[in-house]
Amino acid sequence: MTDALFLALSTLAIWSGWRVFRVDSMVRASFQLMVSFIAVGLIAVLLAAPYIGIATIFMMAVEMMVMALFMVMFMMNPAGLNPMVMVHQHRFSIAAGVVAFSGLSAAVLLSDLPVQRVPEGADVVRDLGHELLGPSMLIFETAGVTLLATMIGAVVLSAHSGRYGASDAGSLPPGLTPGGEPAGRKPDESAGHHHHHGGH
Amino acid sequence: MIAAALTLLLALPPLVWVAAMFDRIGTGRGAVLIGPLQNGAALLLRPNTATEAPDRLNRLLAPGWYLALALVGLSVVPLAPGVVASDISTGLVLWGACEALTVVVVFLHGWSPNAPLPLIGAYRYVAIGLPAMLLSMFVLIGAALPAQSLSVVEVVEAQREIWNVIRQPLGLPLFMALGLAITLRGPFDYADGAELAGGTSAEESGPALALWHFARAAMLVAFSAMAATAFLGGHLGPVLPGPVWLLLKTLVLMALSVAAGRFFARMPPARMLTFLWVVLLPLSFASLALVGVEVLP
Amino acid sequence: MTLVTVLIVAAALIGIGLYGALSQQSFVMLMMGLELMLNGAILAVIGFWSFSLGGAPEGQLLAIIVMAVMAVEMAVGFALVVAVYRKRQADMTESLTSMRH
């Protein structure tokens, strides 16, 4: 039973992970990634880690929702009406992926892995809580401070008003051909009235 | 365990009917008692509408996912001492995952028809739904603290002396905000609002719309049962048997949610976003901090 | 379900993620590749914890740290995408040919 579930879930995780880079719409891509995460979370539940597994599902649902939000915001083709292939160095990437997979698999198959299973009936969630706020508190709190620093950094990076004026002042869209005329919005529009404060 | 699951499955349709009746009282939208059944039957006979280049799979599945999430969320609620459909040690986290996935499902429901009004509804709902869900997590951690466990069964047991609603007065009202958000109602109905001609359901008709409304009412039932369990002591109570107490508390909270949805006005999305992040979220932090101080030995 | 099969599934996820991170032109898709690699990492960590650590809680702690790394990666990544989009009106890696303002 567990084996059959594991087989189904791992197939789902790998298949939907692969579909992430094959579907047309980026919204679909982010939800395929979410499916992959949910499958991994359920495998973690099978592996006797109920908190980590369900927390992964919870976190990744939120993260992928944010991802889809950004997709709709930035993409030229959010709904996926047109076929879309946006890749570079494709062969090299495929080779790198295959090498990474086969190298890691070889390492797994050739090494002698220790076996010491989680004891039956161990209260793993309670253990985790005591570890987080006990011996490993410094690590846990460091993660918290890192997240706070990330929040501040993200706000600074993405804010419209910067130390040197509006962050989109004089922004130019890329050309349709390399080095060609800028496409889309012209700089006059994008800079708006901020443009005139410069005193040129 | 199987008995509990069957009880929930049997109890859900009548409770959904009651939820639909609550929604009709005083609105003048036809008969209160049999109106929901008439409407549902009429919807089932109508054809589904088609849109141009939709995401067929997700359009078909979104209402079903919504209902499934309501059922999974409901399954962690203990009906009586020792009677619970899914008895896992991290029930509160599972409920949280259901909340998060509800936001995803509502987005899918609006995105998949590939039409403007549903997409606008879905898009602004996500912006509001995510912070609402975030604050509910802090509130639920507050409910878990006195129990020293993430298991919903333990959360109920910890309320034998005194209910959480008295110990943590901020908890229930903040949790109700989440309930309004995940059931798309009143001040948080940014998804299916009337000003978007039905928002994410603007392009829906027929059985798909009937299932969507059913799932929405089922989510109200699931949320009310969860709120009754986390803050009103769930199945605990004198004289009457446990399941009856749970049912009564669930009905009260359903009525309260419907009333709150009618009473509070909806703000523009940008103002609601500010209100959520600047007022309600800090309030939930404060509530959690107070609970923490209180349970200190 | 043995440790070897769990780790091979994790290796497959890491391989696909590496392919995505290297091949995608859009920043957000590139981040999806990174997330998929971290997904494999979480699976490997939990597999090792479950099969070889005898229930020592440090393994779960490592999984939580990986999740925090994911959150940091997402937040900084999206902030950078917003900054680049403001400057170049595109979210493609090719639009960043120089780091100059």
Side-chain angles (χ1 to χ4, degrees):
Chain A
M1 180 65 189
T2 316
D3 282 336
L5 263 178
F6 171 72
L7 190 68
L9 287 172
S10 50
T11 314
L12 180 65
I14 295 173
W15 178 78
S16 56
W18 172 244
R19 292 295 295 163
V20 168
F21 304 108
R22 279 287 160 276
V23 289
D24 281 343
S25 162
M26 299 207 179
V27 174
R28 274 183 205 136
S30 60
F31 288 127
Q32 289 286 359
L33 187 53
M34 187 184 83
V35 170
S36 179
F37 272 111
I38 290 178
V40 166
L42 292 176
I43 293 176
V45 174
L46 287 184
L47 287 168
Y51 177 76
I52 301 282
I54 300 179
T56 306
I57 296 175
F58 170 76
M59 263 206 45
M60 290 312 136
V62 176
E63 272 201 37
M64 293 308 129
M65 194 59 253
V66 174
M67 222 161 217
L69 207 68
F70 271 79
M71 294 297 183
V72 176
M73 201 150 61
F74 285 139
M75 293 305 138
M76 50 198 93
N77 177 25
L81 291 172
N82 309 314
M84 170 194 77
V85 181
M86 295 205 305
V87 290
H88 50 197
Q89 49 183 6
H90 201 206
R91 290 214 180 122
F92 169 72
S93 311
I94 294 176
V98 170
V99 167
F101 170 65
S102 39
L104 287 170
S105 302
V108 168
L109 290 172
L110 296 179
S111 52
D112 197 10
L113 298 163
V115 173
Q116 197 185 356
R117 295 222 52 165
V118 179
E120 283 290 322
D123 199 348
V124 291
V125 181
R126 190 170 291 270
D127 287 351
L128 174 64
H130 283 296
E131 178 70 25
L132 281 180
L133 296 179
S136 302
M137 193 156 186
L138 185 62
I139 301 172
F140 190 50
E141 293 301 320
T142 311
V145 174
T146 312
L147 285 170
L148 179 65
T150 307
M151 280 194 258
I152 297 171
V155 169
V156 170
L157 269 174
S158 55
H160 182 261
S161 55
R163 192 173 165 188
Y164 304 107
S167 61
D168 59 353
S171 97
L172 274 176
L176 289 173
T177 52
E181 275 286 295
R185 288 193 297 162
K186 294 295 180 287
D188 283 354
E189 283 174 64
S190 64
H193 64 277
H194 299 290
H195 195 64
H196 304 292
H197 289 312
H200 48 102
Chain B
M1 187 172 157
I2 293 171
L6 279 179
T7 313
L8 285 178
L9 282 178
L10 287 178
L12 191 65
L15 281 169
V16 165
W17 188 15
V18 173
M21 283 194 255
F22 282 163
D23 263 338
R24 281 166 172 265
I25 292 174
T27 56
R29 286 193 290 139
V32 169
L33 203 58
I34 56 162
L37 300 181
Q38 288 170 334
N39 259 23
L43 274 178
L44 286 179
L45 292 177
R46 274 180 214 154
N48 282 328
T49 43
T51 54
E52 194 187 335
D55 186 315
R56 279 176 220 291
L57 183 69
N58 286 315
R59 190 158 182 231
L60 198 65
L61 289 181
W65 284 128
Y66 197 13
L67 182 59
L69 287 173
L71 279 171
V72 174
L74 199 56
S75 75
V76 298
V77 173
L79 305 178
V83 183
V84 55
S86 57
D87 185 16
I88 55 169
S89 57
T90 52
L92 284 180
V93 191
L94 183 59
W95 168 260
C98 286
E99 289 174 10
L101 287 170
T102 300
V103 179
V104 172
V105 163
V106 175
F107 178 83
L108 275 180
H109 187 239
W111 173 78
S112 54
N114 191 26
L117 291 180
L119 184 65
I120 296 171
Y123 201 66
R124 60 183 201 174
Y125 176 75
V126 169
I128 302 295
L130 286 181
M133 187 214 73
L134 212 58
L135 79 89
S136 85
M137 287 323 288
F138 290 100
V139 170
L140 281 181
I141 295 171
L145 269 186
Q148 304 192 6
S149 168
L150 290 168
S151 155
V152 185
V153 177
E154 297 293 321
V155 170
V156 175
E157 286 306 317
Q159 298 180 76
R160 276 205 186 276
E161 301 281 308
I162 181 171
W163 289 357
N164 273 342
V165 69
I166 301 165
R167 265 193 297 214
Q168 340 175 342
L170 278 174
L172 187 57
L174 286 172
F175 197 54
M176 297 275 289
L178 166 91
L180 296 178
I182 60 172
T183 56
L184 322 179
R185 119 190 348 267
F188 289 92
D189 187 12
Y190 291 94
D192 282 11
E195 83 276 28
L196 288 178
T200 66
S201 335
E203 300 287 342
E204 303 294 331
S205 161
L209 186 60
L211 185 57
W212 182 253
H213 284 319
F214 185 90
R216 193 171 153 180
M219 190 51 104
L220 179 67
V221 175
F223 161 75
S224 306
M226 188 65 201
T229 303
F231 295 100
L232 298 180
H235 56 70
L236 299 176
V239 188
L240 294 172
V244 178
W245 272 115
L246 182 65
L247 181 67
L248 287 176
K249 292 169 185 172
T250 304
L251 286 175
V252 168
L253 280 174
M254 274 163 63
L256 265 180
S257 306
V258 171
R262 300 256 189 92
F263 182 73
F264 292 105
R266 191 162 62 223
M267 292 192 258
R271 257 171 72 197
M272 177 53 106
L273 203 59
T274 312
F275 179 67
L276 274 170
W277 282 102
V278 176
V279 180
L280 291 188
L281 208 58
L283 264 183
S284 72
F285 296 160
S287 168
L288 183 56
L290 285 177
V291 179
V293 170
E294 187 192 301
V295 296
L296 274 181
Chain C
M1 187 168 62
T2 62
L3 180 54
V4 173
T5 51
V6 171
L7 289 180
I8 286 180
V9 172
L13 289 173
I14 291 174
I16 298 171
L18 184 66
Y19 156 74
L22 288 176
S23 71
Q24 297 297 311
Q25 285 182 305
S26 158
F27 279 114
V28 190
M29 291 299 287
L30 189 159
M31 279 161 61
M32 288 207 190
L34 293 177
E35 296 266 317
L36 202 56
M37 288 168 77
L38 288 171
N39 190 13
I42 286 190
L43 184 58
V45 166
I46 289 297
F48 265 119
W49 168 79
S50 177
F51 282 102
S52 331
L53 265 183
E58 285 86 350
Q60 295 190 71
L61 172 77
L62 185 56
I64 289 200
I65 298 297
V66 175
M67 280 191 218
V69 169
M70 273 180 166
V72 169
E73 178 249 295
M74 281 275 289
V76 174
F78 278 134
L80 282 173
V81 175
V82 172
V84 168
Y85 194 83
R86 284 197 206 286
K87 203 71 221 163
R88 303 268 188 265
Q89 296 184 25
D91 79 325
M92 311 275 279
T93 47
E94 268 78 4
S95 64
L96 278 188
T97 43
S98 83
M99 300 274 279
R100 286 184 46 207
H101 184 59

